[in-house]
Amino acid sequence: MIKKIVLSTMLSASLLMPQLTYAAEEPKAPMFDDVSPDYRFFEDIQLLLNQFVIEPASNFYPFRPMNRLDVAVGIARAKNLPPSKQPSQFKDIDVTTTEGQLVQAVADAGLISGFPDGTFKPTKTVTRGEMALFLQRSFQLIEGELIHFTDMSPRVASYEAVQSLIHAGYTTGFPDGTFRPGAPLQRGEAAHFLAKAVQDSSTGFYLPGSYVAGKTIPSGEYLYVSIEEEGKFTLRHRSEQTHTRITPANAPYYVTIKQGDQIEFANGFLYRSGFIRHQPKLIQTTGTYKVGYDLPIGTYRAKVAPNYKEGTLRILNDSTVGAPVKFQTTVQDFIIFSVERGDYIELEHVTMEPYTSN
C-alpha cells in the first residue's frame, strides 16, 4: 500500500501550516467508466483523482482534446492555488464560478495569459507545444541537453519548453522521432503531464545543506523559511559573487537560482516555489511575499512593527538577487499602497494588511 507522508513545519501564526504530500493515497473515488486499468495513463489519472486535481465523474474522455479552461483549472489545483477573489480580467471568464476563479488565480500568478482582445478563450483546444509552455512556466522546468525532433527547431515557439519537458522526464516524444507540437493535446496526455508535475513538486523540499543548481537541485524559484531561530541563506553565483541573507525566525524569503549557482543554508527548510503557499490575513514584520500567490492583487496598509521606530517596504519586479526595485520607502507611521500581478513585496520591520477605503 502506498502511504501518504505529511510533514508540518512551525511557521508563524500568520502563515498557513503546510501539509507536504510525498505520495498518493489509496483511491478515494472510483475511476471513470471509460478509463480501464490497461490504459497507459490509468495511474496518472488515478493520482490526479487522489490529489483532487480532477473530480470524479462518469467519464473522463481521455481521447478528447484538452481546452484552455481545463488546463488552467488543472494547473491551479496541482499548485494548490486558492480561487481568486479579484475581478475577472477576461471578458469571457465568469468569476462567480469556482472554475472562473481558478482561471483568474492562474492569471494572477502570471502562469497563463489571455489574448489581446481581452478574452481567455476557455474552449480553445490546447496543442502539445502550448502545454509544454504552460508546464515550463508553472512548474519552473529547466532546459537540459538538446534532444532533436524532426519537427522541432529553435524557430518553434515551444522549442525550449519541450526541451525542459524532456529533461524533466515528462515525455520522450513519439517513436518516429517527432514531438508534434502543433497536434491537439488529448485529455489523457494532459493527465500524464499534470501527474508528473504533481509528483515532482512532492520532491521540492530540501533540508539544510549545500546544493548546486542544475546538479543537486533544479534551477528556478525557491522559498526559504527559517524555523524557530534566525536563518542564514548564502547564494554564490558562477561569477563568484556571493550574497548572504540573514532572516528572522519564520520569515519567508523568495530567491531565484540559476544554472551553476551554489546555495547554502544552515537552518530551516527550502521549498520549490509553489510547493507551499501562505494565506496570511496580516503579513508580519519581515520577509518577502509573492503577489498573486501569497496574497492577492490590491491595496494594502503598511505600518511600522511594534517596538520599532521605522521600517522599510520595497516592491520588486522578481525574486532574483538584485532585482529592479519598483518602489521603496521608509515607513515611520503608515502608508497605503497598491500592488500588481508579478510584484514581490519585501518587508523589514513592517506589518501590512488589506486596505479598503471607507
Side-chain angles (χ1 to χ4, degrees), residues 201-272:
S201 69
S202 68
T203 62
F205 167 72
Y206 300 90
L207 295 171
S210 178
Y211 301 88
V212 178
K215 292 184 179 180
T216 56
I217 190 172
S219 303
E221 184 179 76
Y222 288 83
L223 177 66
Y224 168 63
V225 182
S226 59
I227 306 298
E228 297 184 310
E229 61 185 58
E230 184 178 78
K232 181 179 180 181
F233 183 97
T234 300
L235 170 64
R236 295 185 178 88
H237 291 298
R238 287 182 298 178
S239 62
E240 302 301 322
Q241 290 182 315
T242 299
H243 303 274
T244 299
R245 178 71 174 258
I246 304 298
T247 65
N250 301 317
Y253 170 48
Y254 279 99
V255 63
T256 294
I257 57 174
K258 300 179 180 180
Q259 191 88 358
D261 288 347
Q262 181 180 359
I263 57 173
E264 294 180 1
F265 60 101
N267 174 46
F269 304 98
L270 187 72
Y271 309 90
R272 290 191 69 178

Side-chain angles (χ1 to χ4, degrees), residues 90-103:
F90 307 113
K91 295 186 292 188
D92 52 356
I93 292 296
D94 180 7
V95 291
T96 64
T97 68
T98 299
E99 287 186 336
Q101 292 170 357
L102 289 175
V103 169

